[in-house]
Amino acid sequence: MRMFLFLRLSQEKKSKIVPILKKSKLAQSYVVYCKQDMMKFNSNMQKAFVLLISFLFSLISVLPAIAEPRDIFFGGMIWGVRQTAGPVDPGPNIFSNLQDQVWVDEQGAVHLTVQKRGTLWTASEIMAKKDTGYGTYRFTVSSSLADLDPSIVFGFFTWDKAPESFNREIDIEISRWGTPDGLDGWFTVQPYDKAGNQHSFYLPNAQSYTFELRWALGEVQFELVTEKKNEEWTYREPGVPAPGRARLRINLWLFRGKAPAQDWKHYKVVIRDFSFLPLL
């Protein structure tokens, strides 16, 4: 601290003080104190620098690896696999595009996972690289859909980057939103919090789940087909969005970024037999 005070003096004042200090024992003692202060300062700076570097390396070690941009071919379409350097919406979650996070198997089915990498969890999302719009969307999901942790969300939805009409978002979602005994099936035309814009149901245990979404002018029809139960819901004007530049997205992520109760487990859903038939 003494060294800092001395350094703050103007050059003119220093030139007057230094000769006086040099002639006295007090001055010699003061200079020693100043040198000690500077050594302590340098030592503390070195320690701080080492701690900073150590922290940065530890941070890098726990963050998931960032891979090159990656596409997959699924259901007759090219999809980009989402990757992020840190937590983002929805969730927030870290999305990974590593080969063991999202992949297409030999039968043409796509596998999406939520998994733990070190101390962090990573989510999955694929994004169609072409506009779709009005038409019939159909896909089948594996039985593991019913075994997801209450904090995990499976989503199949349309999305336009433009904000008009709530991004033209139409959703099929499976999640209990963190509530163990909550409803887990959701058909939605955004905004979800507007009365009449959402239909919910319990997902039955089944060997597989086939969903169909039919989007037309002024109407959206949702349907779930299983060997045990069918679930249907139709939403009509005035809130049905026009197609715009809407594209499909499919994801698997953690609600509010909260880790599953069984944090050792590897969660996966398998989507097959995807098709899109445009409305002519």
Side-chain angles (χ1 to χ4, degrees):
M1 185 63 181
R2 302 180 188 87
M3 191 62 174
F4 291 136
L5 292 174
F6 182 73
L7 291 174
R8 289 174 66 89
L9 296 175
S10 67
Q11 189 61 39
E12 181 183 356
K13 289 182 180 180
K14 287 178 186 177
S15 63
K16 293 178 181 179
I17 292 174
V18 168
I20 298 173
L21 292 175
K22 285 183 176 178
K23 294 180 181 179
S24 67
K25 292 182 178 180
L26 176 62
Q28 295 170 9
S29 175
Y30 183 82
V31 170
V32 171
Y33 288 151
C34 288
K35 288 181 178 179
Q36 290 175 346
D37 278 349
M38 183 54 74
M39 289 174 65
K40 290 178 181 177
F41 173 74
N42 288 337
S43 176
N44 289 336
M45 285 295 291
Q46 290 174 359
K47 291 178 181 178
F49 182 73
V50 170
L51 287 172
L52 176 61
I53 295 300
S54 298
F55 169 74
L56 291 174
F57 273 108
S58 66
L59 185 62
I60 291 170
S61 67
V62 298
L63 285 174
I66 301 298
E68 292 295 320
R70 178 172 161 243
D71 295 340
I72 60 172
F73 186 78
F74 166 63
M77 296 170 59
I78 298 174
W79 307 69
V81 184
R82 189 179 186 187
Q83 66 166 337
T84 63
V88 298
D89 286 335
N93 282 260
I94 298 171
F95 289 86
S96 170
N97 73 347
L98 294 177
Q99 295 284 348
D100 64 345
Q101 183 83 32
V102 176
W103 70 94
V104 179
D105 63 28
E106 294 179 354
Q107 287 71 46
V110 66
H111 298 239
L112 303 183
T113 67
V114 166
Q115 57 180 290
K116 194 174 186 180
R117 299 181 183 276
T119 59
L120 300 177
W121 284 84
T122 54
S124 302
E125 183 169 323
I126 59 174
M127 306 165 289
K129 289 201 160 185
K130 73 172 185 178
D131 303 349
T132 46
Y134 292 150
T136 299
Y137 304 81
R138 186 180 178 90
F139 63 97
T140 298
V141 187
S142 59
S143 61
S144 60
L145 196 62
D147 299 326
L148 295 177
D149 183 272
S151 292
I152 293 180
V153 184
F154 168 77
F156 176 98
F157 60 105
T158 60
W159 179 266
D160 190 335
K161 291 182 179 179
E164 291 81 17
S165 300
F166 299 92
N167 301 98
R168 309 181 195 280
E169 184 176 352
I170 302 171
D171 301 279
I172 293 173
E173 292 172 303
I174 303 299
S175 181
R176 284 170 280 168
W177 309 105
T179 304
D181 58 351
L183 291 163
D184 43 14
W186 306 86
F187 296 152
T188 309
V189 176
Q190 296 294 339
Y192 73 92
D193 52 358
K194 182 180 178 181
N197 277 36
Q198 190 171 70
H199 173 74
S200 57
F201 55 92
Y202 283 107
L203 189 72
N205 288 319
Q207 294 297 315
S208 63
Y209 303 89
T210 297
F211 294 91
E212 191 165 287
L213 186 154
R214 296 179 290 275
W215 184 12
L217 177 65
E219 183 176 273
V220 182
Q221 297 178 337
F222 299 83
E223 185 176 8
L224 164 64
V225 177
T226 71
E227 67 269 23
K228 295 182 179 181
K229 174 185 178 181
N230 286 13
E231 191 75 34
E232 297 181 14
W233 182 60
T234 299
Y235 178 88
R236 294 186 174 88
E237 282 282 17
V240 176
R245 297 295 307 277
R247 297 184 176 187
L248 278 177
R249 296 190 177 201
I250 308 175
N251 57 21
L252 192 69
W253 52 280
L254 292 167
F255 178 56
R256 294 177 178 169
K258 184 180 178 182
Q262 295 177 311
D263 71 352
W264 52 267
K265 193 172 180 180
H266 179 101
Y267 295 89
K268 179 175 73 172
V269 296
V270 181
I271 305 108
R272 57 180 174 82
D273 300 332
F274 168 78
S275 64
F276 169 63
L277 181 62
L279 183 64
L280 301 178

